Amino acid sequence: MCVKTEFLKLQNITNCKMSAAQYARLVSRKYRGPKLPKINRPRRPRLLAWAGPAAFYPNRFYEQDKWYKARIDKPDLIPQLHIIDPTLYGESLAEYLQKEKVEPTNIGFAKKDEKRIPKISSDTQLEKLSRTKKLRIDMSRVGEADQRVIAHFGVFEHLFNDNVYFDRTQNFEVSFGDHGVHTGNILWAEDTKKSPQVSIESVGADGFNTIVAVNLDGNASEQSGEILHWLVANIPDGKSVSEGEEKAKWIQALPFLGTGFHRLTFLLLRHSEKIDVTDFNSDLGSRVFSTAQFYKKHEEKVTPSALNFANVAYDVSVKEALHAENLQSPLYEYEWNERMKRDQKEFPLKPMPFDLYFDQFRDPKDVQADLLRERFKKVSIDDVTPPKFLDDNYVENKKKLDAWNHAKLLEKNKPDSPVYNNSLKY
């Protein structure tokens, strides 16, 4: 009877509303139920992540009677602002438009009349070929070089000075075998190993021509000027280049790695009498040359009549040519500003994939290496063999590296990786 009475008391105590501390104090461990009774307290949302002890700090609540709302991290809206520093602009647009524009000066001969190319009939296929970069243009039909293209690349400005130009008044063709030099076309440095073949139009008068070939972007020294690649002076009118005086022997274009395209420019000067030009050595250090000073010195005698230039890109032949001259091949890299990193948000407005978020904390070179491996999927490299082991230091890397980072390392070294196995050929 005593046990039954005690059980009824415990049942009545359990059915009443009390806190967990009261229940533990009144009911001994021996008679407690398998589960604690439900406590009368506000229901906590289960879909919200825990905010840590900071949720219970004073003055942390959005509403005083809703303590659980402190768990919600509202995302910060960062506006896209375009800040304009007024110190970088000396005048307004209205003031700039009111300035008197200086007319460019023509330092060449008077422009001769040439027959223009007849307008091509409208064809839908031409637009498609141009958009897909498959449209072929016969450069022999183009005739006069477009001055706007030359001005766009800043050739006149860097050769002579601002607001200076001249028209093509004499046919001037330059080529390296099958690769011609026109108006900004792209060549590889290996294409310029041998001296170019030149054809100069005869104007039917006693006179001379002088060819100056310079690299407008190849001077890596502290001296101002360009790099002189070739100079042939006093070529008799109607004669070949071999009849002239080669004052500077040809050296191939040397666009250094990381410096982009170099503008290899061929300038033709016309003069009625011979000019005195000093000889240049073949070493690169003595080839720093100023076209503007050369023209200023012989301004009374020479007149520019034609210009061709090409954009030359780096390849392995540049390093070989520099090593042949006992010079080191420089490597230039762009110094990027440190990337701004956003704080990780618990509830971002736009979800960001895991790898993309952590890419901003990686070395940019590693990110570029991953992109290069993706490009390897489209080509085949026959002289590369996969490593013997997927990871030579598997035990240590398994402990030190993250799981996802170690998995990428193993995936990269697999024999069927795109780096080592591709069905496509060059």
Side-chain angles (χ1 to χ4, degrees), residues 254-304:
L254 301 172
F256 304 127
L257 180 60
T259 56
F261 293 107
H262 285 202
R263 295 165 295 174
L264 181 62
T265 306
F266 291 85
L267 175 65
L268 181 64
L269 301 173
R270 177 78 182 174
H271 44 97
S272 58
E273 55 186 52
K274 288 188 176 183
I275 58 175
D276 186 16
V277 182
T278 57
D279 294 335
F280 291 86
N281 297 329
S282 59
D283 59 301
L284 196 61
S286 63
R287 288 297 186 96
V288 179
F289 180 82
S290 175
T291 308
Q293 294 180 5
F294 178 81
Y295 174 73
K296 188 68 176 177
K297 180 180 179 181
H298 305 283
E299 185 177 8
E300 300 297 332
K301 297 181 180 180
V302 302
T303 304

Side-chain angles (χ1 to χ4, degrees), residues 188-191 193 252-257 312-324 329:
W188 293 101
E190 188 176 8
D191 299 333
K193 273 189 172 182
Q252 77 166 83
L254 301 172
F256 304 127
L257 180 60
V312 185
Y314 170 86
D315 58 21
V316 185
S317 65
V318 176
K319 182 173 65 174
E320 295 174 351
L322 291 174
H323 289 178
S329 178

